[in-house]
Amino acid sequence: KIEEGKGRPPSGQRSGGCTARTGTAGTMAREVEEYEMEQEMEIEALEAILMDDLQELTADEREDLRLDDAGIVGKCYRVKVEADEDAEENTFPPVLGLVFAHTEKYPDEPPFVHLESLSSLTVGDLEALTVLLKDKTEECLGMSMVYELCTEAKDWMQNKMGMNDVIEDEGAAKRRRELEEEEKRARERAAGTPVTPETFAAWKADFDREMEEKLGKKVDVNEGKLTGRKFFETRDVQEVEESSDEEEDALDTFP
């Protein structure tokens, strides 16, 4: 739950009874209320999305960062941005600490942003990220942008690691493996099994064995085959029969 006053400007900057004011002062008071509401709504959304990755800075942390000297007297937060949330043990991927605070007219003006290396980020990396997020801030002026800044930083770290070339959604990976397996089976079905003397002999042996089991007797491979003499005798009888049939047809058609 959001604490009372979270994201509000420092005490003394708010004008009481703003709804009864008129003129320029009344207009400015109404604008301040609108900024406050939008800032509170962003913090609520970030707490719901980031949960434990969003922490309010302690008094000691504020002092270490000299936030009061920078004119930041309101609440300040740190977002833990990890390049790889599922990193294996002892791999040490980059982890960024994005410290931010709302300014009086945020989001119509940039928020306060300070970057820290929580793991495996060099000074050069932080400088490059600072430039990147400054450009992103200018692009997002007029709307809540802290989550966009975190996403931009995370993408940059993943690109630095080459992770975006290999990261794949688990469901997409499963579908890809299934498709590859199906394509492999299709290729095997299309190719079939090559017929060689050895594979044919093995198939013939299995076929004969199955036939023996069905018929209850050994299969004679020569059974049903014609000898040369029987072949010619059969052919002669067939030719005589065909000749007789032709003669009968001729007699039937004779006038």
Side-chain angles (χ1 to χ4, degrees):
K1 182 178 179 181
I2 303 300
E3 297 176 4
E4 183 66 25
K6 179 172 288 189
R8 296 181 184 277
S11 177
Q13 291 188 9
R14 298 182 65 205
S15 299
C18 62
T19 54
R21 292 179 179 269
T22 59
T24 304
T27 301
M28 291 180 60
R30 287 194 294 274
E31 289 178 351
V32 168
E33 290 292 339
E34 291 173 1
Y35 289 133
E36 290 174 354
M37 180 178 297
E38 187 161 356
Q39 292 165 13
E40 288 182 2
M41 289 174 62
E42 181 177 39
I43 295 298
E44 289 179 356
L46 291 173
E47 287 179 330
I49 296 171
L50 301 173
M51 296 184 288
D52 293 339
D53 287 338
L54 175 68
Q55 298 291 334
E56 183 181 345
L57 266 59
T58 64
D60 291 340
E61 290 173 323
R62 292 179 60 92
E63 185 176 348
D64 290 342
L65 292 175
R66 305 177 67 87
L67 295 182
D68 291 341
D69 294 343
I72 305 300
V73 293
K75 291 182 180 292
C76 195
Y77 302 87
R78 177 185 289 108
V79 180
K80 180 181 178 182
V81 183
E82 299 178 271
D84 185 3
E85 297 175 358
D86 300 319
E88 297 180 0
E89 189 175 358
N90 298 323
T91 55
F92 307 109
V95 181
L96 174 71
L98 191 153
V99 177
F100 76 93
H102 289 142
T103 52
E104 182 179 3
K105 295 184 178 180
Y106 172 87
D108 287 338
E109 64 183 13
F112 168 82
V113 175
H114 172 76
L115 303 182
E116 304 172 330
S117 175
L118 301 184
S119 176
S120 304
L121 286 170
T122 66
V123 173
D125 292 335
L126 295 178
E127 290 175 350
L129 280 166
T130 298
V131 173
L132 177 72
L133 298 188
K134 182 179 180 181
D135 292 340
K136 189 67 176 179
T137 297
E138 294 296 327
E139 178 185 328
C140 294
L141 281 177
M143 63 181 184
S144 299
M145 66 182 77
V146 173
Y147 188 76
E148 290 292 331
L149 298 180
C150 295
T151 301
E152 192 81 1
K154 182 172 184 175
D155 287 344
W156 185 91
M157 291 189 293
Q158 289 181 342
N159 286 330
K160 180 177 184 291
M161 295 176 62
M163 289 179 61
N164 286 340
D165 297 332
V166 298
I167 288 180
E168 186 175 23
D169 178 76
E170 183 177 349
K174 181 179 179 181
R175 291 191 295 273
R176 176 181 55 79
R177 290 192 296 268
E178 291 174 349
L179 180 60
E180 290 175 352
E181 187 64 26
E182 179 59 30
E183 290 176 349
K184 180 181 177 182
R185 288 195 296 267
R187 288 193 299 268
E188 292 175 349
R189 289 194 298 268
T193 302
V195 178
T196 63
E198 292 78 13
T199 58
F200 177 78
W203 172 84
K204 185 66 168 61
D206 291 338
F207 177 77
D208 290 343
R209 185 165 49 254
E210 291 178 5
M211 293 302 295
E212 289 174 12
E213 292 175 356
K214 290 180 179 180
L215 299 176
K217 64 177 181 178
K218 185 169 181 168
V219 175
D220 184 1
V221 295
N222 294 317
E223 184 177 355
K225 286 186 177 180
L226 295 178
T227 63
R229 180 176 179 178
K230 287 184 177 181
F231 171 76
F232 284 107
E233 289 176 351
T234 303
R235 187 184 65 175
D236 292 342
V237 171
Q238 185 177 5
E239 289 177 352
V240 170
E241 291 178 349
E242 290 177 353
S243 177
S244 299
D245 291 340
E246 290 175 357
E247 291 177 357
E248 289 179 359
D249 293 339
L251 290 173
D252 290 341
T253 57
F254 188 80

